């Protein structure tokens, strides 16, 4: 079954020195002084574009690949210890680390502030801390503070709410972390003091590194007892049909599924990535016949999916011609019989077509596969294996990996038979004119009546999916299973979950979730209406290539322009796909996607590369930059832009937690663009090279923290951050 750029940087390709690509060994650029400075090229000054400046020294675009088999290392976090945090807090007047239940001050700076505000307010007001803590919420606008509290949510019976708000603010004690709170209607706004925020946030980020923002505690079976182990998650996504186009719907499923797998892995879950291929059915008998007639061994090895699709199209055309011929002959037979003429010859022709045509041969071939005939199964297995190898190459370009390539063919007959038996015994299913159905209208009219077995005794997808879910539970004992499937399959998945529930398998249905998504509109193809993923990526890469070719002189000096275009093109496609809410449809607009204007994939890549260049320039200018920037004097970061950036960085763990709740990649993207804009607006005010040494190190620590957060967010989305551009 088919589961189915920021402000302009265009001038980089038009007026900048040549771009070179050099793969590096790890997936985040080094922040130590051991980096070798890149050769410096002078370029003529260009106009400043908001919010990212053009780089004025420019050499290589280095790709720091996010390895397809890399994981979000939430389980390997090495944050600051509570003792280290306590030592920092003591320097500003706090003797203990504020920590309400189920908070993680070593992983999330905002937890410290929420706990601190809760403690002070509980003490001054007498209100239970358990009531206060959940009311402290993010603010959407900086002028409303870093945290807000909706006083009515405290559930205190007071006649005059405004008077009560004033009472709470007047009674709030002096704090080394928080400014005096302010009133906004029935809300209380809390603003963090800059110096303590910076001293807590920057070392936490630099210490945690590639794991900052992620939290392994969310995936524990029992947070109070880590030895109980981690929860298990299956994410089923992409799931194309072998020998059919890997179309835009699969692209969306692939991107969203990869993101969700990263998200839960970053939350400490044990995640199994599963690709449930459409790899079984009579169509594979059709395919085998087609390959015998139209196939080429060379083309099969070179491009298995594309070639098998071409073969399938040709043999399907033959089948349609046969069907049309049979129809015409039957109509002629009817006419001839009406006039009393002999129709035996025509009837013989029809019988021959029915007995030896593509449809019947395919049916017979598939029966051989079902019966386990070695030759038939061998050919099918070869098609499947070659297709999977090709898929792996394509998935690798998107930083997607799988732990298991499953498929319809892998579901055991006994699992489906057992499902059918249970449905019959529990009167879940019933006979209906020779077919077997499940009437779900008694639970919801929207669910309708689901057919689980056709009149000819053939089991349908529902029975197979029930069997597959049962097998997965038996094999993996999962705590959650997510199906990343287009919204067109909403009814199918809703029926599947409900049937399992009324079968008595709540142990499975209660743990299943359908993550749906809208359609990609405006797709075209070189092969009729189908569109392969490789074609999509090639088309976007070519569009990027056109931009680079605009300056022929510079283009000739580019070492590997195709690879550069591919990286930027993939980023453009993925960011375009993830910018809106999953359920929304969107138009596949090549010009908008590949534009270097606005918040796009190439813009994020440039923001990352720009931050990497800061450390390289500092390393070139100063030879003794310490490898541990947590030793920098962070009290020198007093500028408003430094404090504002630190606020953005400190909120990343909260953004991650919120993303676990929304399951929307747009939650991450919105944050990353906002944070990148904050970084950009600080460049004129927080110069690194040329500043006094201690100030330079402090600012370098701030930008290194920003780089780490941007890198972590991009990797979470499945992007490959570039180091030089």
């Amino acid at each position: 079954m088919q589961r189915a750029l920021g402000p302009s940087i265009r001038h980089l390709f038009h007026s900048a020195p040549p771009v070179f690509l050099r793969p590096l060994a790890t997936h985040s650029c080094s922040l130590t002084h051991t980096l070798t400075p890149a050769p410096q090229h002078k370029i003529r000054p260009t106009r400043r574009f908001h919010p990212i400046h053009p780089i004025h020294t420019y050499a290589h675009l280095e790709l720091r690949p996010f390895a397809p088999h890399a994981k979000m290392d939430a389980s390997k976090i090495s944050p600051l210890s509570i003792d280290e945090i306590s030592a920092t807090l003591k320097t500003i007047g706090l003797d203990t680390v504020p920590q309400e239940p189920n908070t993680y001050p070593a992983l999330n700076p905002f937890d410290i502030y929420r706990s601190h505000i809760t403690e002070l307010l509980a003490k001054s007001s007498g209100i239970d801390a358990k009531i206060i803590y959940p009311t402290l919420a993010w603010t959407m606008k900086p002028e409303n503070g870093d945290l807000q509290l909706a006083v009515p949510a405290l559930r205190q019976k007071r006649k005059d709410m405004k008077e009560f708000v004033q009472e709470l603010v007047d009674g709030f004690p002096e704090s080394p972390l928080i400014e005096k709170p302010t009133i906004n209607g029935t809300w209380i706004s809390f603003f963090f003091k800059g110096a303590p925020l910076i001293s807590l946030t920057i070392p936490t980020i630099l210490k945690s590194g590639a794991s900052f923002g992620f939290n392994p505690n969310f995936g524990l079976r029992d947070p109070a007892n880590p030895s109980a182990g981690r929860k298990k998650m299956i994410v089923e996504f992409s799931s194309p049909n072998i020998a059919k186009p890997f179309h835009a719907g699969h692209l969306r499923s692939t991107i969203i599924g990869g993101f969700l797998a990263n998200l839960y892995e970053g939350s400490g879950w044990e995640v199994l990535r599963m690709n449930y291929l459409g790899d079984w059915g009579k169509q594979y008998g059709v395919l085998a016949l087609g390959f015998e007639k139209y196939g080429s061994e060379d083309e099969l090895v070179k491009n298995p999916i594309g070639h098998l699709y071409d073969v399938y199209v040709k043999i399907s055309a033959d089948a349609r011609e046969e069907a049309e011929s049979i129809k015409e002959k039957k109509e002629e037979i009817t006419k001839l019989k009406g006039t009393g003429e002999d129709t035996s010859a025509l009837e013989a022709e029809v019988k021959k077509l029915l007995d030896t045509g593509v449809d019947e041969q395919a049916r017979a071939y598939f029966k051989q596969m079902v019966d386990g005939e070695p030759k038939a199964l061998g050919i099918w297995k070869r098609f499947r294996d070659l297709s999977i190898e090709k898929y792996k190459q394509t998935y690798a370009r998107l930083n997607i990996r799988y732990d298991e390539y499953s498929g319809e063919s892998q579901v055991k007959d006994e699992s489906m038979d057992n499902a059918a038996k249970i449905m019959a015994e529990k009167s879940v299913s019933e006979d209906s004119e020779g077919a077997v159905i499940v009437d779900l209208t008694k639970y919801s009219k929207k669910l309708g009546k689901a057919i689980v077995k056709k009149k000819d005794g053939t089991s349908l997808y529902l029975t197979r999916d029930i069997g597959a879910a049962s097998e997965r539970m038996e094999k993996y004992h999962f705590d959650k299973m997510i199906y990343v499937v287009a919204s067109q399959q909403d009814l199918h998945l809703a029926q599947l979950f409900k049937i399992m529930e009324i079968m008595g398998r709540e142990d499975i249905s209660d743990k299943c979730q359908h993550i749906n998504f809208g359609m990609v509109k405006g797709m075209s193809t070189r092969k009729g209406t189908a569109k392969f993923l490789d074609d999509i990526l090639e088309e976007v890469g070519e569009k990027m290539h056109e931009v680079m070719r605009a300056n022929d002189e510079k283009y000739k000096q580019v070492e590997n322009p195709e690879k550069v275009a591919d990286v930027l093109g993939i980023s453009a496609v993925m960011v375009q796909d993830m910018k809106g809410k999953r359920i929304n449809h969107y138009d596949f607009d090549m010009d908008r996607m590949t534009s270097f204007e606005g918040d796009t994939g190439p813009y994020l890549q440039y923001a990352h590369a720009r931050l990497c260049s800061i450390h390289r320039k500092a390393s070139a200018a100063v030879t003794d930059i310490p490898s541990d920037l947590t030793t920098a004097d962070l009290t020198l970061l007093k500028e408003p832009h430094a404090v504002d950036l630190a606020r953005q960085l400190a909120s990343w763990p909260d953004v991650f937690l919120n993303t676990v709740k929304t399951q929307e990649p747009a939650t991450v993207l919105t944050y990353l663009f906002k944070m990148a804009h904050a970084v950009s607006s600080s460049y004129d005010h927080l110069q690194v090279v040329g500043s006094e040494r201690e100030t330079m190190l402090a600012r370098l620590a701030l930008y290194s923290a920003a780089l780490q957060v941007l890198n972590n967010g991009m990797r979470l989305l499945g992007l490959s951050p570039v180091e030089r551009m």
Side-chain angles (χ1 to χ4, degrees), residues 106 156 159 168 179 200 203 241 251 407 421 562 615 618 673 686:
Q156 303 298 302
K159 292 182 179 180
L168 291 176
E179 302 284 0
L200 286 168
N241 287 323
L251 171 61
K421 181 180 178 182
E562 290 82 6
H615 201 288
F673 284 126
L686 302 173

Side-chain angles (χ1 to χ4, degrees), residues 248-266:
H250 294 120
L251 171 61
R252 294 216 73 191
S253 175
T254 302
I255 292 173
I256 295 169
F259 157 75
L260 289 170
N262 290 341
L263 180 68
Y264 280 95
E265 206 162 56

Side-chain angles (χ1 to χ4, degrees), residues 526-585:
R526 300 163 189 166
K527 295 184 173 76
T529 59
K531 185 80 172 178
F532 288 94
L533 175 58
D534 282 341
D535 291 336
I536 295 171
L537 298 182
E538 181 182 348
E539 190 172 342
V540 177
E542 287 174 354
K543 185 73 175 180
M544 287 290 184
H545 218 168
E546 288 176 14
V547 178
M548 297 170 63
R549 285 177 174 173
N551 188 319
D552 186 61
E553 181 182 350
K554 303 300 181 184
Y555 177 81
K556 291 177 179 177
Q557 301 176 58
V558 176
E559 182 178 338
N560 196 339
E562 290 82 6
K563 182 62 177 176
V564 175
D566 189 54
V567 173
L568 295 179
I570 290 171
S571 297
V573 170
M574 294 179 71
V575 169
Q576 166 81 359
D577 193 278
M578 294 186 284
K579 281 182 71 173
K581 288 188 175 181
R582 293 190 321 269
I583 197 61
N584 292 344
H585 303 310

Side-chain angles (χ1 to χ4, degrees), residues 94-163:
L94 275 183
D95 293 331
T96 59
V97 178
Q99 185 173 8
E100 288 297 301
N102 300 315
T103 64
Y104 307 95
L107 301 174
N108 187 348
F110 263 63
D111 278 358
I112 297 174
Y113 285 85
R114 276 188 290 262
S115 295
H116 179 59
I117 294 171
T118 298
E119 289 177 7
L120 294 182
L121 196 56
K123 186 175 182 180
S124 65
S125 68
I127 301 172
D128 192 332
K130 294 179 181 179
I131 296 176
I132 296 172
Y133 189 88
T135 65
L136 291 167
W138 281 3
T139 62
M140 300 303 293
K141 299 178 181 179
E143 59 267 27
N144 292 333
D146 295 292
L147 289 171
Q148 272 189 323
L149 186 151
V151 176
L154 295 175
R155 306 194 303 275
Q156 303 298 302
K157 295 181 180 180
R158 301 294 290 261
K159 292 182 179 180
D160 192 330
M161 188 57 64
K162 289 186 177 180
E163 182 181 297

Side-chain angles (χ1 to χ4, degrees), residues 468-573:
S470 301
E471 289 179 7
R472 294 174 192 179
M473 176 57 77
E474 183 178 348
K475 182 176 180 179
Y476 296 110
H477 305 286
F478 59 83
D479 297 280
K480 188 178 182 73
M481 179 160 63
I482 290 176
Y483 295 82
V484 186
V485 185
S487 56
Q488 297 99 308
Q489 298 294 332
D490 284 355
L491 177 60
H492 173 80
L493 272 300
Q495 290 177 335
L496 170 63
F497 300 161
K498 191 63 181 180
I499 290 173
M500 286 194 295
E501 176 191 328
I502 60 180
M503 283 175 59
R505 294 308 306 265
E506 294 96 335
D507 60 318
I508 297 176
S509 62
D510 289 350
K511 297 176 181 179
C512 291
Q513 181 182 12
H514 175 203
I515 297 293
N516 60 2
F517 52 86
M519 294 291 293
V520 181
K521 300 182 294 182
M523 299 292 293
S524 61
T525 180
R526 300 163 189 166
K527 295 184 173 76
T529 59
K531 185 80 172 178
F532 288 94
L533 175 58
D534 282 341
D535 291 336
I536 295 171
L537 298 182
E538 181 182 348
E539 190 172 342
V540 177
E542 287 174 354
K543 185 73 175 180
M544 287 290 184
H545 218 168
E546 288 176 14
V547 178
M548 297 170 63
R549 285 177 174 173
N551 188 319
D552 186 61
E553 181 182 350
K554 303 300 181 184
Y555 177 81
K556 291 177 179 177
Q557 301 176 58
V558 176
E559 182 178 338
N560 196 339
E562 290 82 6
K563 182 62 177 176
V564 175
D566 189 54
V567 173
L568 295 179
I570 290 171
S571 297
V573 170

Side-chain angles (χ1 to χ4, degrees), residues 578-596:
M578 294 186 284
K579 281 182 71 173
K581 288 188 175 181
R582 293 190 321 269
I583 197 61
N584 292 344
H585 303 310
Y586 77 87
D587 292 314
F588 190 87
D589 188 329
M590 184 68 68
D591 291 334
R592 183 176 61 184
M593 181 185 300
T594 56
S595 172
F596 287 86

